[in-house]
Amino acid sequence: MTGEASLTASTLVEALPYIRRFAGKTVVVKYGGNALAGTSEHDALTLFAEDIVLMRLVGMKPVVVHGGGPQISELMQRLGKQTEFVDGLRVTDAETVEIARMVLKGQVNPQLVAAINVHGNFAVGVSGVDGRLIEAEARDPRLGYVGDVTRINTEVLEGLLDDEFIPVVATIGADETGQAYNINADTVAGVIAEALDAEKLVYLTDIEGLRRDVADVTSLIRQATADELDALVAEGIIAGGMIPKVSSCTSAVRNGVRRAHILDGRIAHVLLLELFTSEGIGTMVVADQDALDQFRAEQHADPAQLAAGGVA
Ligand code: ADP
Ligand code: MG
């Protein structure tokens, strides 16, 4: 065997216990609007689609949730639509929520679905309106149609997963009158992971993970408990777009999701690296110190034990 072939073989063997362990498990992945691997949007989608299809083919149940902030801003600009602000917060008026719906369900969602389906008939796109997946209400009337989730109805996702499809969710919700709301995709990924009792919740973003100091590239936090993250939020160390990810991670792990991860979507195949290698990558969030101790014990455990469901 050449060196390269034996490396491939050892990589596959290293993956074996993880493949066994995750078979049949639900993994919710939030694909960030800014998270791009490769050198173009096309590359990024292609690499991401390969990871998702591979997960599905080894027996996992991936669910993709996406936002589209940059794409919505781009279309608004092209349409010459100005964004209003109230107390520094962006207002989503009736026209803006219509643009958001067009971009999310008409552009970003079918792009993701098509990229996955290059490999077979796997992905089905839904928005939160389909099967009343995401019920929402206005967060604050002054902000217009920015919604908070009031309820998740998982039937449509469960049906798709039972039929071995990969659901791809655009995060538009609706209230009982059918009015549409734009909903933060990080938040939706978290509540869907909880509602589906997922094994993992994964955020792909544009930074290598959580940093103890945003300006310091060497300050990556590799593992944290929910309580530790609450403290970091209180200290103001978690800011901006990281806040909804972190609060969803802490809520998810406290409500039964086994592990949550914040990963760098700019790294090619970062999902596979996280799922199928023992090193771990990015930031991992678990419920408490016991769960963290268990993780550390597993890292040193032998593969057979791991495949059997981990050490006690
Ligand atoms: P996405 O499109 O993935 O939602 P966001 O820009 O909304 O991306 O959120 C990721 C950003 O959060 C990072 O690029 C970073 O600038 C910011 N951020 C704030 N606090 C932190 C922190 N403590 N660690 C890492 N990133 C942080
Ligand atoms: Mg964001």
Side-chain angles (χ1 to χ4, degrees):
M1 251 195 317
T2 65
E4 208 176 308
S6 80
L7 181 65
T8 306
S10 63
T11 306
L12 286 168
V13 170
E14 188 185 344
L16 248 184
Y18 298 99
I19 292 173
R20 283 180 61 189
R21 176 185 192 155
F22 295 135
K25 299 279 168 60
T26 301
V27 178
V28 176
V29 181
K30 190 263 179 167
Y31 186 73
N34 301 311
L36 295 181
T39 51
S40 67
E41 194 173 341
H42 175 77
D43 273 9
L45 278 174
T46 303
L47 291 165
F48 173 73
E50 285 169 351
D51 289 8
I52 294 292
V53 170
L54 208 136
M55 286 165 69
R56 159 66 183 71
L57 289 175
V58 298
M60 291 186 208
K61 298 176 169 179
V63 176
V64 178
V65 177
H66 66 85
Q71 293 89 340
I72 295 167
S73 300
E74 195 193 310
L75 182 59
M76 288 191 42
Q77 213 168 14
R78 268 163 56 192
L79 296 171
K81 169 95 184 135
Q82 299 296 321
T83 305
E84 273 180 80
F85 289 87
V86 170
D87 299 338
L89 294 170
R90 175 195 293 262
V91 177
T92 300
D93 61 15
E95 227 174 52
T96 303
V97 74
E98 228 170 87
I99 294 170
R101 182 168 54 185
M102 271 166 60
V103 169
L104 292 176
K105 192 67 204 315
Q107 179 189 344
V108 180
N109 189 277
Q111 270 172 357
L112 276 163
V113 169
I116 293 170
N117 288 346
V118 164
H119 301 278
N121 56 340
F122 295 117
V124 175
V126 295
S127 82
V129 181
D130 297 299
R132 246 169 119 157
L133 172 61
I134 306 169
E135 293 183 23
E137 66 183 9
R139 171 170 301 178
D140 174 344
R142 292 175 309 161
L143 300 182
Y145 302 106
V146 173
D148 282 327
V149 178
T150 52
R151 193 186 154 85
I152 294 285
N153 296 301
T154 53
E155 292 88 344
V156 65
L157 298 181
E158 281 159 355
L160 290 169
L161 290 171
D162 285 349
D163 288 338
E164 302 191 345
F165 285 113
I166 301 170
V168 178
V169 179
T171 55
I172 293 288
D175 66 17
E176 66 276 12
T177 71
Q179 170 63 51
Y181 290 86
N182 192 8
I183 306 189
N184 184 287
D186 292 336
T187 308
V188 170
V191 290
I192 285 180
E194 288 179 26
L196 289 175
D197 208 8
E199 174 78 9
K200 276 181 192 278
L201 165 64
V202 183
Y203 289 99
L204 296 182
T205 184
D206 62 355
I207 194 163
E208 73 281 357
L210 285 178
R211 291 180 184 171
R212 205 163 285 284
D213 170 1
V214 191
D216 178 1
V217 292
T218 67
S219 68
L220 173 68
I221 300 168
R222 299 186 57 89
Q223 292 131 19
T225 64
D227 285 351
E228 284 166 358
L229 289 191
D230 281 350
L232 293 179
V233 171
E235 286 169 51
I237 285 167
I238 311 291
M242 215 32 107
I243 293 174
K245 292 185 223 308
V246 167
S247 54
S248 295
C249 287
T250 55
S251 169
V253 296
R254 284 182 174 130
N255 289 302
V257 175
R258 194 139 172 281
R259 286 173 190 166
H261 300 265
I262 297 172
L263 306 180
D264 192 343
R266 301 167 306 175
I267 298 174
H269 299 304
V270 71
L271 270 174
L272 301 186
L273 292 172
E274 200 299 306
L275 288 163
F276 298 123
T277 68
S278 51
E279 283 88 70
I281 190 164
T283 300
M284 181 187 76
V285 184
V286 293
D288 50 28
Q289 192 60 45
D290 281 355
L292 203 51
D293 292 343
Q294 186 185 340
F295 167 76
R296 290 183 178 142
E298 280 171 16
Q299 275 201 311
H300 305 288
D302 76 76
Q305 222 173 355
L306 186 68
V311 292

